[in-house]
Amino acid sequence: MKSFFNSFYVRLSAVFLILLVILGGLQIGFTLQTWNKYHKEADQRLNLNLASDMARELEPLLKDSSDIANIGHTIHYMMVLNPKIEIYLLDEQGKILAFFADPQKKVKARYVSLEPIQQFLAGSYHSPILGEDPRHPGVMKPFSAAPLKIGKNINGFLYIILGGELYDSAINTIRESYLTQTIIKGLVVTLVFTAFIGLLLFFFLTKRLHQMNEVVKSFENGQLDQRIKTSARDELGQLAHSFNRMAEKIVANIEELKNTDRLRRELIANISHDLRTPLASIRGYLETIQMKSEHLSNEEYEEYLRIISETAEGMQGLVEQLFELSKLEARQIKPHFEPFSIKDLIYDVAMKFQHVAEKKRMAIKISAPDGLPQVYADLRLMERALTNLVENAVNYTPPGGAVIICASRQNEQVLIEIMDTGQGIAAEDLPMVFERFFRGRKVHGENANGSGLGLAITKKIIELHQSNITVESKLNEGSKFYFGLQVWQGS
């Protein structure tokens, strides 16, 4: 029960109902006020000429005398015909000279303000003009007024209150028994209908919120595949789409963390595996030197030290490559893009392997036309990638063969191809050629000495440049690796 009253639907409905009741009360007050104003204005307009008509009847009776008693009978007759009125005779200052109304009710005021009377006589009827009620000072009522000559010396006024006490009593009874009840009944019906429709709409709106809440709870409890199903374009729909995008990002981040952790564990496993053999070799030669130092010739001693040094350098290179690949896979290396000449870079990389190529009696050929545009890439990373590809081609090309490096423009890219006439790659090995530590099953001899990380590093570098590297190869016919780089569009 407590959770029910704490629900958003109940709170929203309670606020809605409270506002509805408040607005209903204000509407009742506004309606009664408007009706009262309308009634007074209509009454005044209907009796606009009442005072002037009466004044014409009374003026002959007061022409020669100011004796009010002479007109009592006439005024009494007029009031019988119109019992809602109260009649007052005023002098020039607004002093009440006489009144004709229920004698049981006293007149408490001695003067009546002449400002409303003058406004009335001036013809301003844009809204009801209210004057003072002498019986109830401070109460303003609609009236009718006209100039009235009283005797020979008094230029007074005939002042008629259009809603006397008898009329007020009757109208209040009607208002309480009919008008107010009618308004309240109509408003209650309206409130009930509006409340029903509003609560029903709130139910459907909060139902969507409830469904969203259930999905969020499920996601919080580990059901990461949960998503909010919605096709609406309102604020709730936008909220649902935002949650779904956030959930996708969270899942992607979790997968990235898992992948980073997997890479970390693989790195540790790879290091421990690949360092075990060279460490054992170094340890073996060191033990040999220690145990047989007195019996080793200088040539053997120098040979053992050379092997230990080369093995240590190989270990260092392997560790550096492992860390480099791990950083690339974890996206910890951010490329620094800049324009540079890919042709110059190709010649620089080729020069690194010229001595090895000459030693193996093989040729390194370059095909790059003049006017080749600059590319927009990371110079250091591209040098690393080209070095790995050319080194791989040189290692797997037999003496007398050739390595060809080509660069050509293809639309908005520069296509780079590294081809060799080496032993090639078996068809079943092609899908795995870019995996770390992979060496083809057909690899043998001195060509099998690589770490198996170069092509994996190259692939990650190319992917950082929003491109892909492709390999084509046949056994005993050679291989071709190629990829594209974006042309520099600057001035």
Side-chain angles (χ1 to χ4, degrees), residues 350-398:
M351 285 298 297
K352 294 180 183 179
F353 300 95
Q354 195 63 43
H355 177 71
V356 177
E358 291 175 356
K359 187 177 180 181
K360 293 183 64 175
R361 301 185 307 280
M362 57 180 295
I364 298 180
K365 302 178 181 179
I366 298 175
S367 174
D370 294 334
L372 192 68
Q374 291 184 319
V375 297
Y376 191 61
D378 187 303
L379 176 60
R380 185 185 64 82
L381 291 178
M382 288 313 306
E383 180 182 10
R384 182 80 166 102
L386 285 174
T387 299
N388 289 345
L389 291 172
V390 174
E391 181 180 22
N392 188 70
V394 169
N395 288 339
Y396 287 93
T397 299

Side-chain angles (χ1 to χ4, degrees), residues 13-192:
S13 301
V15 172
F16 172 72
L17 291 176
I18 291 172
L19 290 176
L20 206 58
V21 171
I22 293 174
L23 291 175
L26 293 175
Q27 183 64 32
I28 290 176
F30 178 74
T31 302
L32 290 176
Q33 184 181 9
T34 303
W35 178 86
N36 190 38
K37 184 178 179 181
Y38 162 78
H39 166 72
K40 289 179 179 180
E41 184 172 359
D43 200 14
Q44 191 173 56
R45 287 180 179 273
L46 184 63
N47 295 281
L48 193 63
N49 299 318
L50 178 61
S52 60
D53 292 341
M54 283 190 178
R56 283 195 297 270
E57 296 292 331
L58 297 177
E59 224 168 36
L61 301 176
L62 298 171
K63 184 175 182 182
D64 298 322
S65 173
S66 60
D67 188 1
I68 305 301
N70 293 335
I71 63 173
H73 177 74
T74 302
I75 291 181
H76 178 72
Y77 176 72
M78 292 179 179
M79 292 182 64
V80 170
L81 295 178
N82 193 352
K84 64 177 288 187
I85 63 175
E86 294 177 354
I87 301 173
Y88 297 86
L89 297 182
L90 310 178
D91 65 6
E92 296 95 332
Q93 284 77 37
K95 182 180 179 181
I96 299 173
L97 301 177
F99 72 93
F100 302 89
D102 185 2
Q104 297 180 357
K105 300 292 184 178
K106 293 182 179 181
V107 175
K108 298 179 180 180
R110 295 179 60 193
Y111 286 84
V112 173
S113 175
L114 294 180
E115 184 178 351
I117 296 175
Q118 292 170 351
Q119 186 180 358
F120 178 87
L121 295 176
S124 301
Y125 303 119
H126 297 294
S127 60
I129 302 173
L130 304 181
E132 292 179 342
D133 182 1
R135 290 181 182 269
H136 303 90
V139 176
M140 309 298 286
K141 290 186 176 182
F143 67 91
S144 180
L148 179 64
K149 184 77 172 178
I150 304 174
K152 296 181 179 180
N153 300 320
I154 302 175
N155 295 318
F157 300 93
L158 179 63
Y159 183 64
I160 302 174
I161 295 296
L162 300 177
E165 293 211 7
L166 292 176
Y167 175 78
D168 287 344
S169 178
I171 202 68
N172 288 335
T173 302
I174 293 173
R175 181 164 51 193
E176 291 176 2
S177 62
Y178 178 74
L179 180 63
T180 304
Q181 293 183 23
T182 301
I183 293 175
I184 292 176
K185 288 180 181 178
L187 188 60
V188 167
V189 172
T190 303
L191 290 177
V192 171

Side-chain angles (χ1 to χ4, degrees), residues 450-467:
S451 66
L453 295 175
L455 291 181
I457 292 173
T458 300
K459 183 175 185 295
K460 292 298 179 182
I461 291 175
I462 301 303
E463 288 176 349
L464 281 178
H465 288 76
Q466 307 300 316
S467 185

Side-chain angles (χ1 to χ4, degrees), residues 168-223:
D168 287 344
S169 178
I171 202 68
N172 288 335
T173 302
I174 293 173
R175 181 164 51 193
E176 291 176 2
S177 62
Y178 178 74
L179 180 63
T180 304
Q181 293 183 23
T182 301
I183 293 175
I184 292 176
K185 288 180 181 178
L187 188 60
V188 167
V189 172
T190 303
L191 290 177
V192 171
F193 179 76
T194 305
F196 174 76
I197 297 298
L199 294 177
L200 189 62
L201 291 175
F202 287 163
F203 172 76
F204 284 108
L205 288 175
T206 54
K207 181 180 179 181
R208 293 170 59 193
L209 287 174
H210 178 72
Q211 292 173 344
M212 294 170 64
N213 184 51
E214 293 299 320
V215 172
V216 173
K217 283 184 177 179
S218 299
F219 189 86
E220 181 186 13
N221 292 330
Q223 300 181 28

